[in-house]
């Protein structure tokens, strides 16, 4: 199987640890064993899930003579920050198309973007939402005209190239399973653009690790993400014939978006601080806090009953949380 992997750069600190959450398990586990896959430890500045995708995306950029990485997201996008720093590490130019406004005193991910020297273009949220594809296309053409070559990386790095990062993470998990004597498990992640879940889903089929992958959506709804994940997998199939036999059926746990993408209520903030004091692990309010909340609520409802092991994928998010200016 190894040979079908496209080339990747080693950018992340991998493999990441998998460990038990004994005190959280006492508090919320209802008899399950609770584990955490520490993808918040993929790097200091490159913390989180995006660097796994960027290992493949950046290799593709170098191999195909792109000199610029062009991508997009919210002002506090973890994906944009990881791309900005990866670009600087590789000597590639980075251009970020961000939804929102520039800030006099940037914080968190935005501060790191600025320090990394990335070029940043801001768009009103409504315009961004309506015209993102054409905005990216215009910038791509701008680079072509200027004798440069920009690789457009979609939101969250989620497409048939980026999802290799989590196909590989599933392979890592299959090693974790062997080491820890886990026979089968439910695997839960936050889903924001679908690539993490898509990769885990395909990877667990490929590497025959008996896991049932669940994504807790942090925006939109279940229908949207089922379609998005299937279209990312179709993109993968169009790039490689090794996947024609795979027909993924994404499982979305809907109902934990709360007030919308990026909006968290006091239940989420309280849960973040409770887990921090129990286990010394910091979740974030946009992604992992909502996903963890969804997971423990579904444990309480019995969704996972009948299986012993539940694995939470910690996908990062600390810099966005530190920049968080919402009421807590
Ligand atoms: C981007 C992100 C996610 C969502 O991953 P997708 O692959 O986009 O679905 C989850 N958690 C954090 C912290 C993220 O930055």
């Amino acid at each position: 199987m190894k040979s079908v992997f496209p080339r990747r750069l080693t950018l992340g600190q991998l493999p990441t640890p998998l460990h038990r959450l004994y005190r959280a398990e006492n508090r919320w586990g209802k008899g399950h064993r609770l584990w955490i896959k520490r993808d918040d430890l993929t790097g200091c500045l490159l913390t989180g899930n995006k660097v796994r995708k960027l290992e493949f995306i950046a290799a593709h950029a170098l191999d195909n003579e792109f000199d610029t990485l062009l991508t997009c997201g919210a002002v506090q996008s973890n994906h944009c920050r990881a791309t900005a720093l990866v670009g600087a590490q590789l000597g590639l130019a980075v251009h970020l198309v961000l939804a929102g406004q520039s800030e006099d005193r940037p914080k968190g991910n935005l501060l790191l973007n600025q320090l990394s020297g990335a070029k940043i273009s801001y768009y009103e949220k409504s315009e961004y939402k309506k015209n993102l594809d054409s905005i990216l296309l215009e910038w791509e053409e701008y680079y072509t005209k200027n004798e440069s070559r920009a690789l457009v990386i979609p939101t969250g790095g989620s497409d048939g190239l980026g999802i290799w990062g989590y196909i590989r993470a599933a392979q890592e998990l299959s090693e974790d399973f062997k080491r820890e004597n886990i026979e089968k498990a439910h695997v839960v992640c936050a889903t924001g653009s679908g690539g993490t879940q898509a990769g885990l889903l395909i990877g667990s089929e490929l590497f025959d690790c008996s896991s049932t992958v669940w994504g807790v959506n942090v925006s939109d709804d279940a229908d949207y993400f089922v379609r998005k994940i299937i279209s990312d997998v179709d993109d993968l199939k169009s790039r490689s014939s090794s996947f024609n036999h795979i027909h993924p059926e994404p499982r979305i746990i809907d109902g934990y978006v709360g007030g919308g993408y990026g909006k968290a209520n006091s239940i989420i903030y309280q849960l973040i601080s409770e887990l921090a004091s129990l286990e010394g692990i910091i979740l974030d309010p946009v992604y992992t806090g909502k996903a963890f909340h969804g997971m423990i609520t579904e444990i309480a409802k019995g969704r996972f009953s009948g299986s012993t092991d539940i694995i939470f994928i910690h996908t990062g998010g600390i810099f966005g949380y530190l920049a968080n200016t919402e009421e807590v």
Side-chain angles (χ1 to χ4, degrees), residues 49-50 53 78-79 156 158 190-197 284 287-288 315-317:
N49 59 345
K50 301 309 180 308
K53 305 177 190 185
N78 298 304
H79 162 68
S158 291
T191 287
S193 63
T196 301
Q197 189 180 345
D284 77 298
Y287 297 97
T288 52
T315 42

Side-chain angles (χ1 to χ4, degrees), residues 140-203:
E140 188 184 18
E141 286 169 354
Y142 165 90
Y143 285 102
T144 310
K145 278 193 203 116
N146 288 279
E147 275 152 42
S148 183
R149 226 162 104 74
L151 175 66
V152 178
I153 304 170
T155 306
S158 291
D159 64 4
L161 183 57
I163 64 179
W164 278 107
Y166 272 85
I167 294 176
R168 196 167 173 279
Q171 185 183 31
E172 227 177 87
L173 275 174
S174 72
E175 299 295 316
D176 293 332
F177 280 29
K178 278 185 214 137
R179 196 184 53 251
E180 303 290 354
N181 294 316
I182 297 171
E183 267 175 37
K184 62 184 174 88
H186 290 280
V187 174
V188 180
C189 68
T191 287
S193 63
T196 301
Q197 189 180 345
L200 288 171
L201 188 58
I202 304 221

Side-chain angles (χ1 to χ4, degrees), residues 15 36 91 96 113 132 196 268 274 282 295 298 309 312 321:
I36 193 161
L96 305 175
N113 293 342
L132 179 61
T196 301
I268 302 298
E274 195 172 356
I282 312 281
M295 179 182 73
E298 296 296 318
D309 293 295
F312 183 77
Y321 187 18

